[in-house]
Amino acid sequence: MKYFKYIALLLLVAVTMGSCEKKDVSYMAEPVDESSKAYVQVGYYAPVTAGAANYMYFIDLNGIEYGNDGATFLATFNTVPSGGTNRFYVVDAGSVNVKLHSRVKVGETPTGEPIYEYPVVYDKNVNVEAGKRYVIFVHDLDKDPIPIEMNPAPEFNPALDTDSLCRVQFINLLYEADGTPITDKVQYGVQNLDTKEYEPVGQPVAFGECTPWFTCNIRKTVYNSSGSQRREVCLYRIDAQTGANLGKLQYTKSNGSMGDFTDYWTWYIGRAYRQMAAGNCGSSTIRCTLYQFVIE
C-alpha cells in the first residue's frame, strides 16, 4: 500500500510542476487600422409589427454575412451585434452596402420539417468615416438608412452624496399617423423631483437626429448603495419652423384612445443610457415607444 502512496505523491508533484510551466496566452483578435476602418452597428426601427414575418434572419455588410444559423438575428426595434451595446462590426470606411434578409417558407421535407429561403428585402448604401462608431438605422425598407455617430458618454466626478447624476442621449425615429417620418421636432422631458412638473432637457431633434449627452439627477434613497431612482419622462412636440413647444406628444394607446406620451425608467448613478423613440404616433399596434440601451 505504501508503494501506491509514493507513486500517487510522485504523480501529484509531476502534475503540479507541469501546471507551473510557462504558457503563452493568445487572443483571437486582430488590431484595427482606424485610419481606414469604421465601427458600425445595424438598428432595425421600421414601424412594423413584431413577429417572424417582419424579423431579419441574416444581414450583409459589404458582402460579409452575419446570422444565427437561420434563427432570428435582427428583431424589430433592435440592434446587432446583440449582447452588448459597445460591440461593433468593423467595415472599410466609405460606402457600406447593407443587406437584410427575411425568411420565407417554401416547402417541407418528407418528415415535415420546414424548408426556408432567405430573400434580400433591403439593399442600400451608406457612408461612414474612418475611426468613428455608428449605428446605421434602417427606418424604412424602401429608403436609405441613417448613420448616427455614437460619441462616448462624457465623464464626470463620482458621486459623493445622495444626489448625483446619470447621462442620457435621445434619438428621434418617430413616425406620424400617416406613416411618414415626424415633421416636427421632438424634445425629451424629465419630471422635476421637487415640483413634479415635466421640464425639457437636452435639445429638440428632428427625425433621424440625436441629442448631445445630457445629465439627469438621481436622488437615491438608500445611502449605502449604488444608487438608483425611478424618473418620470415625457416627449414634447416642437414646431420645426417656429420652435414653439406644442405640448406633450400625442400618441395612440393600445385601446385606441389618444393620450400624452409619458414613460418612466429606473436610472442608476453614473450610468449612461441611450434612448430611441420609435413607432407610429397614430397606431395602436405599432405604438410610439421609448427603447433604452445601457451604454456604460
Side-chain angles (χ1 to χ4, degrees), residues 22-291:
K22 183 178 179 180
K23 298 288 185 181
D24 291 328
V25 179
S26 60
Y27 298 92
M28 301 298 291
E30 298 178 3
V32 175
D33 180 5
E34 294 194 346
S35 66
S36 62
K37 303 288 185 179
Y39 305 88
V40 301
Q41 299 175 347
V42 178
Y44 177 34
Y45 287 82
V48 296
T49 55
N54 289 320
Y55 291 163
M56 299 299 162
Y57 293 82
F58 294 94
I59 71 168
D60 287 357
L61 295 175
N62 286 343
I64 299 176
E65 186 178 273
Y66 302 91
N68 186 24
D69 196 27
T72 301
F73 186 65
L74 179 55
T76 50
F77 305 105
N78 231 305
T79 304
V80 290
S82 61
T85 53
N86 287 314
R87 299 172 62 200
F88 292 82
Y89 300 115
V90 177
V91 298
D92 291 330
S95 180
V96 178
N97 178 251
V98 181
K99 292 185 177 71
L100 304 182
H101 298 249
S102 67
R103 186 177 73 175
V104 178
K105 183 179 178 180
V106 295
E108 293 183 353
T109 67
T111 58
E113 296 296 322
I115 300 173
Y116 296 110
E117 290 184 353
Y118 300 90
V120 175
V121 295
Y122 187 78
D123 186 354
K124 300 292 182 181
N125 295 320
V126 64
N127 288 311
V128 295
E129 296 182 23
K132 294 184 177 181
R133 287 166 166 76
Y134 296 87
V135 176
I136 298 173
F137 285 101
V138 176
H139 64 95
D140 186 318
L141 295 182
D142 295 320
K143 296 180 180 178
D144 291 339
I146 299 173
I148 296 182
E149 186 179 351
M150 297 290 100
N151 294 315
E155 298 295 330
F156 46 64
N157 294 328
L160 297 178
D161 212 327
T162 58
D163 193 349
S164 196
L165 304 170
C166 72
R167 297 153 291 176
V168 183
Q169 189 176 49
F170 171 69
I171 297 170
N172 172 16
L173 296 169
L174 282 172
Y175 271 69
E176 300 278 20
D178 63 359
T180 62
I182 193 167
T183 52
D184 289 317
K185 293 186 177 183
V186 178
Q187 168 79 60
Y188 201 85
V190 179
Q191 190 181 70
N192 185 293
L193 292 172
D194 298 313
T195 67
K196 306 305 179 184
E197 296 293 327
Y198 286 95
E199 299 174 345
V201 292
Q203 64 186 41
V205 286
F207 181 85
E209 291 183 345
C210 177
T211 67
W213 289 94
F214 54 86
T215 57
C216 289
N217 289 330
I218 304 297
R219 193 174 294 167
K220 65 180 183 179
T221 55
V222 179
Y223 182 82
N224 189 22
S225 71
S226 60
S228 65
Q229 185 180 29
R230 169 173 162 161
R231 296 306 316 269
E232 309 287 335
V233 304
C234 73
L235 297 177
Y236 294 104
R237 184 183 281 266
I238 306 297
D239 188 290
Q241 303 302 318
T242 66
N245 190 326
L246 304 177
K248 291 189 181 73
L249 182 79
Q250 292 281 300
Y251 81 112
T252 303
K253 301 178 181 180
S254 57
N255 62 6
S257 65
M258 298 295 294
D260 294 339
F261 182 87
T262 59
D263 202 351
Y264 66 88
W265 298 89
T266 298
W267 288 335
Y268 285 78
I269 290 173
R271 289 283 179 84
Y273 303 95
R274 181 172 293 129
Q275 292 195 347
M276 284 76 65
N280 188 312
C281 294
S283 171
S284 61
T285 56
I286 316 170
R287 290 184 298 131
C288 168
T289 304
L290 276 175
Y291 299 91

